[in-house]
Amino acid sequence: MNIENIEAFVYVIHYGSFNKASEVLFLSQPSVTARIQSLERELDCQLFDRIGKQIHLTDDGRKFLPYAQQLLQTFQKSKIHLKQKKALPNELRIGCTVSVSNYMMPAIIPKMKHKYPEINFKLTTGITDDLVNKVLNRDVDISFVRGITHPSLLSAKFYEDPIRLYVYEGHPFIGKENLTIQDIGRQALIFFECGSLDWMRIHRVFENLKESPNIQIQTDNSETAKKLVLQQAGIAFLPGLSVSQEVKDNKLFPIDFPETAGIALQTNLITLTGENTLFFNSMLDICKGLWGRTKG
């Protein structure tokens, strides 16, 4: 069945006349009439009653109309989809910090792959400064970094992950109230450093202590810090995403106290201004779908 004949039929109904339909379709009126007649032959029925200059749908025309509209809409959507597909790259290069790579990308990438099945994804991990430069130099298309602003970059808050103190099963802090900074400073501490201002706030919590905090191990990898806590080598301040499963399994326990309330690790999504906006917005939508909304 010729889609152009169906298009002519729908347009005649929508505009109420063969003449107006022909103007919109940039055709002569005899051409529109010919298309309708061809469609009627294909369907072996009459679609319009013609009384002078007035046209009215026949019973068969009314029955066929919803199918014609659906066929035309499906065809138009397919054209749009194909145009978008041609405009999409073969590969999307994504930069991300190690924590995003470990704890967020395994949930994000399958959803992006479902939405863009023809696209391959290449992930690169690094620190924020390096990732920003990679975006600016077009070495990656889109990146997850710590909170930054730059005149050449489109940036949006993607996720805000609370930083809390976590202890292992059986630790004496569990269930204890009125803990002080002095109490925490005397414990064997494992410090996860990620180079952001958020961690400077953690350091400042201990500034007024007479004795320096008992930091026994320092690491730049949250997985290492977490596993050391699980091995009872000490306790640590960690972002919530990195320990979510261990908290569910009652292997690690968060300890809250006023001095660290509101400290969080902010992740921003960035790309060059005016570029990759389709993927940028898709990523933000996926975050809302996975975690309810962008945190913070």
Side-chain angles (χ1 to χ4, degrees), residues 54-98:
Q54 298 295 317
I55 57 169
H56 301 278
L57 278 172
T58 63
D59 288 340
D60 287 333
R62 277 189 287 272
K63 291 176 183 177
F64 180 63
L65 177 58
Y67 297 104
Q69 291 172 324
Q70 187 175 1
L71 285 167
L72 188 58
Q73 288 172 358
T74 301
F75 177 69
Q76 290 172 339
K77 285 180 181 178
S78 69
K79 288 200 298 183
I80 293 171
H81 178 74
L82 288 172
K83 286 180 181 179
Q84 288 179 338
K85 183 178 177 181
K86 289 177 182 178
L88 294 178
N90 295 322
E91 181 180 74
L92 182 66
R93 301 164 301 168
I94 303 172
C96 48
T97 59
V98 172

Side-chain angles (χ1 to χ4, degrees), residues 146-163:
R146 301 302 171 215
I148 61 104
T149 57
H150 190 284
S152 299
L153 297 176
L154 174 64
S155 178
K157 184 186 292 186
F158 189 80
Y159 194 85
E160 201 167 74
D161 195 4
I163 299 169

Side-chain angles (χ1 to χ4, degrees), residues 5 31 39 83 164 183 189 239:
N5 295 345
S31 294
L39 182 60
K83 286 180 181 179
R164 301 164 77 184
D183 295 328
L189 292 173

Side-chain angles (χ1 to χ4, degrees), residues 4-292:
E4 292 178 341
N5 295 345
I6 295 173
E7 182 181 52
F9 170 68
V10 171
Y11 273 61
V12 167
I13 295 167
H14 181 77
Y15 288 99
S17 77
F18 281 68
N19 185 45
K20 289 181 181 177
S22 66
E23 291 176 1
V24 174
L25 292 170
F26 299 101
L27 297 170
S28 66
Q29 186 170 330
S31 294
V32 172
T33 300
R35 290 185 179 186
I36 298 299
Q37 290 172 343
S38 175
L39 182 60
E40 288 176 329
R41 287 194 296 271
E42 288 182 291
L43 296 171
D44 193 24
C45 68
Q46 186 174 335
L47 298 172
F48 292 103
D49 282 327
R50 298 164 181 83
I51 305 172
K53 293 185 178 181
Q54 298 295 317
I55 57 169
H56 301 278
L57 278 172
T58 63
D59 288 340
D60 287 333
R62 277 189 287 272
K63 291 176 183 177
F64 180 63
L65 177 58
Y67 297 104
Q69 291 172 324
Q70 187 175 1
L71 285 167
L72 188 58
Q73 288 172 358
T74 301
F75 177 69
Q76 290 172 339
K77 285 180 181 178
S78 69
K79 288 200 298 183
I80 293 171
H81 178 74
L82 288 172
K83 286 180 181 179
Q84 288 179 338
K85 183 178 177 181
K86 289 177 182 178
L88 294 178
N90 295 322
E91 181 180 74
L92 182 66
R93 301 164 301 168
I94 303 172
C96 48
T97 59
V98 172
S99 60
V100 170
S101 178
N102 286 340
Y103 310 119
M104 302 186 85
M105 297 315 292
I108 292 170
I109 290 298
K111 292 191 175 296
M112 285 293 287
K113 189 64 180 174
H114 178 75
K115 193 165 187 177
Y116 305 103
E118 303 300 322
I119 294 180
N120 296 322
F121 296 86
K122 181 179 180 180
L123 304 182
T124 300
T125 58
I127 62 173
T128 288
D129 289 346
D130 289 345
L131 293 171
V132 169
N133 287 330
K134 285 182 182 293
V135 173
L136 292 171
N137 294 329
R138 291 186 169 85
D139 294 324
V140 298
D141 303 305
I142 198 167
S143 189
F144 297 87
V145 297
R146 301 302 171 215
I148 61 104
T149 57
H150 190 284
S152 299
L153 297 176
L154 174 64
S155 178
K157 184 186 292 186
F158 189 80
Y159 194 85
E160 201 167 74
D161 195 4
I163 299 169
R164 301 164 77 184
L165 179 68
Y166 289 90
V167 303
Y168 48 81
E169 185 178 4
H171 193 278
F173 280 1
I174 298 174
K176 188 175 181 180
E177 297 181 358
N178 301 318
L179 285 171
T180 66
I181 297 300
Q182 287 81 4
D183 295 328
I184 295 166
R186 295 187 192 104
Q187 292 288 312
L189 292 173
I190 300 160
F191 249 72
F192 162 54
E193 298 278 1
C194 72
S196 73
L197 294 174
D198 308 295
W199 294 101
M200 292 178 63
R201 292 179 63 189
I202 294 292
H203 278 287
R204 283 199 293 269
V205 167
F206 297 99
E207 280 182 351
N208 294 326
L209 293 181
K210 292 181 179 179
E211 297 180 2
S212 299
N214 184 21
I215 300 174
Q216 296 193 359
I217 303 170
Q218 296 185 60
T219 176
D220 62 357
N221 188 295
S222 59
E223 274 295 294
T224 300
K226 177 178 70 177
K227 289 176 180 177
L228 285 167
V229 177
L230 289 170
Q231 292 297 318
Q232 302 187 9
I235 61 178
F237 292 91
L238 293 167
L241 278 176
S242 68
V243 296
S244 58
Q245 188 58 51
E246 287 75 14
V247 171
K248 289 179 183 177
D249 295 339
N250 291 318
K251 293 180 179 179
L252 292 179
F253 299 82
I255 304 297
D256 293 317
F257 51 98
E259 288 85 349
T260 58
I263 299 179
L265 200 61
Q266 181 177 317
T267 296
N268 277 34
L269 183 63
I270 63 170
T271 190
L272 283 171
T273 301
E275 298 185 15
N276 305 302
T277 52
L278 176 65
F279 300 118
F280 187 89
N281 292 328
S282 292
M283 289 284 193
L284 293 177
D285 289 341
I286 286 171
C287 179
K288 292 175 184 177
L290 285 170
W291 294 288

